[in-house]
Structures are given as structure tokens and as C-alpha cells.
Amino acid sequence: MPQTEGRNLAVDTAPVPIEKIASLAKRRGFVYPNSEIYGGVSGIYDFGPLGVELRNNIRRYWWWSMVQTNDNVVGIEGAIITHPRVWEASGHVDNFVDRLVDCKNCKRRYRIDHLPPENLEQNTCPECGGELTEPRNFNLMMETYVGVIEGDKAKTYLRGEACQNIYLDYDNVRSSSRLQIPFGICQIGKAFRNEVTPGNFLFRQREFEQWDLQFFVHPSEMQRWFDYWKHRRFEWYKGILNHGDRLRLRAHAPDELAHYAKQAFDIEYRSILGWQEWEGIHWRQDWDLSRHSQYSGKDLSYTDPATKEKYVPWIVETSGGVDRTFFFLLLDAYEEEPDAAAGKEPRTVLHLHPTLAPIKAAVLPLQKNNAELVTAATALHKRLQRQMVSQYDDSGSIGRRYRRQDEIGTPYCVTVDFQTLEDQTVTVRERDSMDQIRLHVSELPPYLSEHTLQFSAYDGDS
Ligand code: ATP
């Protein structure tokens, strides 16, 4: 993937309304409102046939670049439910709160930290100007109960952030993997928050998925590794965007920093919602391991095998979201291209990176009622399916079929026509340029795999 400037396809720069993305996502099977037939649950979504492919590709690419290609990073998959003390040690039971105000007039509810400064100062509603109530605290943790006998059930929580499992498993991972500091542990997993103001489609949900790296270092090496991962994660996001100019790193102001953090950055994306957090790069120092040592009674310090120095490792954290990536990628990829031919509908296209696109190739017989074309196209589709997600489509004109695939981001359409029957070549049409080339069917699988399955990423060394 290109490394620094984004993919910079010639796409429209106007911000895409969220309704357009939500409607396409539902119509084409990316995302559905959860429990819709019962009226839905605010802030919870299901992913459809194309959505699950896109999510899997996004997750795979992150895992490939964070775990598979780094010798000093390994992965875990922790449980959603943990011992309740974990959330006391982490501070979530006492402090994981949103401070909220309600408008006394229009009854809208706001998080105080999301109010524009002038409304905060004047205590007025940004929508109607009405007076706001005193702030109240809402804890975001979702409670659940473990056990079967009433009275013996223990209250615990669905994890409010996925990364706690990494601290809990840190010592097991270190000893079972024979890793020495510096090293990192990654995880992708669900997190749950009783967000009081869920909304903007996938942006703020109550059940969502996070990806975290916790990188354990000697205190003297903290700054170097912090800078390294900050840079690397920024380049990673840039490499999957069409609009590199919509990405920025924002340093946290002193009053946003946790007491143990020397610095923190958000990687932010600019959409119709303005600049919003996509991933946080955090200086966690020894806070997490020290707290879990204190609360559990288990010493989580590390002894350097060479120098015999004993210390609690410091941590660089990179914490982002699968759902925000999914959402921002759709916003970033969506375009309605005017069609040059008079009277034609604009072409709706998702310029998703080919390695992330849910369907890699669509195989289209030129005519659906010609048995020879259908047989050849079906055989080709079956052959491609062994390596990648391929879709067979024979309904409607070729033009309409191209449009259908453009709208879901399929990078290549392969047309089987009469010439195919004579010389075994097919037309391969690329989504963004709409250029067409002819390839022999034996060349097609390697061509498509090179263009749609190969990951490449910034390796951090330059
Ligand atoms: P915010 O300030 O927006 O509430 P946060 O700072 O609490 O977010 P973190 O706890 O740092 O977020 O979570 C790490 C990442 O998880 C975020 O960068 C974001 O990508 C994702 N994330 C957090 N909350 C949500 C949510 N409610 N819905 C979807 N993704 C989320």
C-alpha cells in the first residue's frame, strides 16, 4: 500500500452525509440496525454479508502489520468477562463516568466534554438556547452477573475496554513466549459501554470492537518507543485512506492528560462530524501493571536477565476501533461520480483499498441465456473462489452489473464473452479507472491475488 500520502484517487472532496453511508450499508448488506423488527436498540448494530467480509479484512490487515510481521509482538484473545476486581483496579468502577447535562427546555442531553465552549460558559443548550441542568455522573460500565443460584451470583462487568486482558495476561505471555522487554501484546476484541449519547451510525456504539497494542519497555526507552509507535500507526491509517489530508495527529492539551502521562496523541479523521478520534496513542507509564500488582497481590515487575535490574515495565498503548475504521473507511471511500454521458445517473463507487474490499472479483457471463458462456463463467468463478471472495452475477446488462459492483467496492469485474470461448481470454475491468485489459484465464488468479490479497505496510524503519 502507498505509504505516506494516502491513495489520493481523484475523489470529490465534499463531506459525505452519514445518512448516505447508513442507507447504502443497509441496502447492500454491510450493516443493519440490531433487533430492527422489535424497533432496534440504540447504539447496537449487526453486520451483514458484505460487512463481515470487510471487517474480517480490516482485522486481518491490522493483525498482519502489528503481530505477524513484528518479531517482538504477539497476540492474545481474552474473555469479555473478567474478575470484578479488575475494574476496581483499573479505576473504571469509580471513574468511568460521563458528566451529563440536560436542556430544561428541549430535553436534549449532552456530554459536558462535547459542549461548545460558549455553551459551556453560558450554561445554554447549543440547539435551542435553553438553560442546562446541573451536571450528573453516569457510569458507562455494563453490569452482568456470573453464577446460577440467586443470591450467589457475583456482579461483574462486560469489559469497558478490551486492553485490560493484556495486563492480566502479561506475565503468562512473557513467561510462556520467552519474550524479553521490549515486547508488545496485541488484541482485537469487543468492548461495551453504556454510552449515554450513542449515535452517528457506527461512530459511537454501546457494543463495539477495539484493537490495542500494549508495548512494554524499560522506562529509559519510553520516549523512543512512544515516538516509534505514534509514527507507525499514523502511517498505517494513511496507507488505507483515499484522502490523506483528512488525517491528523492531535497532541492532548495538558488538562486532557492522565496524571501519569507525559504526553498523548489522537489520530483523528475529518468527516462531516469534524475532526474526531480514530485511535489514541497513550503514555501509560507503569500505571496499569502497578495497579494490578497492588490489587491482586501478584508482583508484576520484571527482572532484566542481563543486568538483573528489577522494575515495573512502562507501557506505550495504541488503542483504536475496528468499527471506527469500518465507518471512516466507508466515508472516505464513498463517491458519486458524475457520468459524462448526458442523462446518465451518477456512478456510486466505494474506492476501498483492494485488499480490504469485501469482494475481490465479480465474474460476469456476457449473456445469461448462453449455456457455453455460463458454464465457462461458473467454472472460472469456482476456481477463483478457492483463493478469494468472488461473486458470480448474471442478472441485467453488463453496465448495470458493473455499477452494482462499483457500489460495494469490488476492485475487479471479469467478463466472460464469446472471445473467451475461442481463446480463453477474459476482460478485466478495474473499478477506479474503469480501464479494461484482456488476460488469459490462467493469468487471472495470480493477477488478482497480487492486486487484491497482498498486504504491504510501512515498517517503521524509514
Ligand atoms: P471518546 O472520547 O470518543 O468517548 P475514548 O477516548 O473514550 O473515546 P478510548 O477509550 O481511548 O476512547 O477507546 C479507544 C478507541 O475505541 C477509540 O479511539 C475509538 O476508535 C474506539 N471507541 C471508543 N468508544 C467507542 C464507541 N462508543 N463506539 C465505537 N468505537 C469506540
Side-chain angles (χ1 to χ4, degrees), residues 361-404:
V363 181
L364 322 172
L366 188 63
Q367 290 177 1
K368 114 184 207 183
N369 42 17
N370 180 302
E372 277 185 284
L373 290 178
V374 167
T375 306
T378 312
L380 186 56
H381 163 61
K382 285 281 152 204
R383 185 167 160 189
L384 290 179
Q385 241 178 4
R386 297 165 78 100
Q387 271 177 281
M388 64 193 69
V389 181
S390 161
Q391 198 172 72
Y392 177 86
D393 185 3
D394 63 9
S395 81
S397 70
I398 284 287
R400 284 186 74 85
R401 285 183 261 169
Y402 282 161
R403 288 287 182 97
R404 265 205 296 272

Side-chain angles (χ1 to χ4, degrees), residues 185-199:
I185 304 177
C186 278
Q187 182 181 232
I188 300 179
K190 289 273 190 177
F192 301 82
R193 292 181 189 177
N194 252 327
E195 296 277 3
V196 201
T197 52

Side-chain angles (χ1 to χ4, degrees), residues 43 92 96 98 111 113-114 140 160-161 191 193 195 198 201-212 237 252 266-267 276-280 282 317-325 328:
H92 282 73
F96 198 41
D98 275 346
R111 264 171 67 167
D113 58 334
H114 288 172
L140 304 185
E161 59 180 20
R193 292 181 189 177
E195 296 277 3
F201 192 37
L202 303 179
F203 179 76
R204 190 169 301 286
Q205 297 172 72
R206 290 183 164 139
E207 172 178 337
F208 56 98
E209 200 166 39
Q210 292 183 309
W211 49 37
D212 290 284
Y237 284 110
H252 282 205
D266 284 345
I267 298 175
Q276 294 287 354
E277 173 178 336
W278 193 341
E279 172 158 316
H282 300 130
E317 172 186 73
T318 72
S319 180
V322 177
D323 302 86
R324 280 209 189 154
T325 304
F328 286 151

Side-chain angles (χ1 to χ4, degrees), residues 333-337 347-351 406-407 409 431-432:
Y334 184 90
E335 188 187 25
E336 289 172 16
E337 276 178 7
R347 176 174 92 116
T348 301
V349 54
L350 284 184
H351 296 286
D406 291 341
E407 201 186 33
R431 175 197 67 202
D432 299 328

